[in-house]
Amino acid sequence: MNSNSQPIKLFLVVAFSCTSLLVSLILVPAKSISASSGSDAVRGASRREGGLRLRSDLKTLAQGTTFNQPPIPPGPPPGGRVRGGAKRGTLGCPLTKPDLTAFVPFTEEANSVINVWGQTTLERPSWFFYVPYTKDLPYVVEFVLQEDPESKNSKEIYRKAIALPDKSGVIRVSLPTTAPALAVDKQYRWFFSINCDQQENSPWTYVEGVIQRVNLSQATVKELETAEPLKRYAIYAQKGIWYEALTTLAELRQKNPQNAALQAQWRNLLGSIRLDDVAGEPILPRTP
């Protein structure tokens, strides 16, 4: 009896050990999968919540946000060119559709004079241009900024050679920290120019306008400090601060390239200054 019971006990111990090991091997991955699934679910819920909040904010903006273009400041009108104006059969850059375009508000006066003018609150703002030409073309491109735009002795304070992009689209030109800061309540004239035929010494194709730095009220500045990007965009648009409104919305679009509501808001903003024809052009990545 005792001699037979020993093998049975040994068998039971081995069987129990194997069973325990098998259960542990099954349960540990199950816990890992459960924890991973829970983490994925939280991340998914967070993304969905963020997406819903973005759509909700955009719906509110679409219903009440318009760009309030401020009046031209006193003094000589700024003038300028919002389109490059290349023409078929003339020297210079070839005709394209759309043409070289500055993303800036403009007005057309009764005497056919166009005024290209906008406000910023920044010492070093950014400009956006639709460029129809690409880097495979041997064209020279420059951005120039001058102070005292109405003076005969206008002083150039910044000049930058611009590399043409890989494909046609909207490029961003920012004033760097090495350039003088814009002064408050002072006007500056900018030029974005392309020379397409250097050997023939043909005229440059260019756009130009005037920018003025202004201060916002302390209450508005405080509101901007805590506002989400979409709210900041709405504040700038309502206050007539073109350059920050455009830059804020452009950055949002680049971070959310597939968001249809942001694309619609972008079209609305450009449509409000009659630049519908370039509203669908891609915003290209910033070059180093």
Side-chain angles (χ1 to χ4, degrees):
M1 178 89 177
N2 289 338
S3 61
N4 293 333
S5 65
Q6 291 299 326
I8 294 174
K9 288 181 179 179
L10 181 60
F11 172 78
L12 291 175
V13 169
V14 172
F16 179 77
S17 299
C18 292
T19 303
S20 300
L21 178 60
L22 181 61
V23 169
S24 66
L25 289 173
I26 294 172
L27 289 179
V28 170
K31 289 180 180 178
S32 300
I33 293 170
S34 177
S36 176
S37 299
S39 179
D40 289 343
V42 170
R43 284 194 294 268
S46 177
R47 285 194 296 269
R48 286 193 296 274
E49 181 182 351
L52 288 172
R53 186 167 60 248
L54 180 63
R55 286 195 294 272
S56 176
D57 290 346
L58 279 166
K59 183 178 180 181
T60 302
L61 287 176
Q63 292 172 347
T65 300
T66 57
F67 175 70
N68 295 321
Q69 187 169 344
I72 295 173
R81 295 167 63 99
V82 76
R83 307 280 189 177
K87 295 181 180 179
R88 190 183 305 277
T90 62
L91 293 175
C93 294
L95 179 68
T96 60
K97 190 175 181 180
D99 201 354
L100 171 67
T101 304
F103 282 35
V104 186
F106 66 99
T107 59
E108 295 180 85
E109 309 302 329
N111 54 3
S112 299
V113 172
I114 294 179
N115 292 309
V116 184
W117 182 78
Q119 291 181 332
T120 182
T121 63
L122 300 178
E123 293 182 342
R124 295 177 176 87
S126 294
W127 289 258
F128 288 80
F129 304 96
Y130 168 69
V131 180
Y133 310 113
T134 57
K135 69 178 185 180
D136 57 317
L137 299 168
Y139 297 165
V140 175
V141 186
E142 288 185 339
F143 177 82
V144 175
L145 187 65
Q146 299 174 345
E147 63 180 6
D148 302 321
E150 304 308 326
S151 170
K152 293 182 180 179
N153 300 317
S154 181
K155 178 184 176 183
E156 181 181 300
I157 62 172
Y158 180 69
R159 180 183 291 266
K160 170 71 173 177
I162 306 296
L164 284 171
D166 294 337
K167 61 180 182 179
S168 60
V170 180
I171 69 168
R172 176 177 179 174
V173 178
S174 299
L175 199 61
T177 56
T178 53
L182 302 189
V184 176
D185 294 330
K186 192 171 183 178
Q187 296 182 29
Y188 300 82
R189 185 173 296 279
W190 51 263
F191 298 86
F192 186 91
S193 308
I194 303 178
N195 186 348
C196 298
D197 192 353
Q198 301 172 64
Q199 294 183 349
E200 296 293 334
N201 196 27
S202 60
W204 291 56
T205 293
Y206 69 96
V207 289
E208 68 163 305
V210 171
I211 185 173
Q212 182 178 25
R213 184 182 168 203
V214 297
N215 279 335
L216 293 171
S217 68
Q218 287 301 313
T220 302
V221 171
K222 187 174 181 180
E223 186 179 6
L224 285 166
E225 288 175 352
T226 57
E228 295 292 328
L230 274 172
K231 180 61 176 176
R232 289 203 303 272
Y233 158 71
I235 294 170
Y236 284 129
Q238 290 163 359
K239 298 295 181 181
I241 308 299
W242 172 258
Y243 287 91
E244 280 77 281
L246 182 70
T247 300
T248 302
L249 193 55
E251 290 176 347
L252 276 169
R253 277 205 61 201
Q254 288 181 300
K255 291 176 182 177
N256 304 273
Q258 304 303 319
N259 190 290
L262 280 173
Q263 293 172 11
Q265 193 66 37
W266 178 260
R267 288 193 297 270
N268 290 340
L269 178 63
L270 292 180
S272 71
I273 61 167
R274 292 169 292 165
L275 294 181
D276 310 72
D277 61 324
V278 289
E281 299 296 336
I283 304 174
L284 303 177
R286 297 182 68 173
T287 54

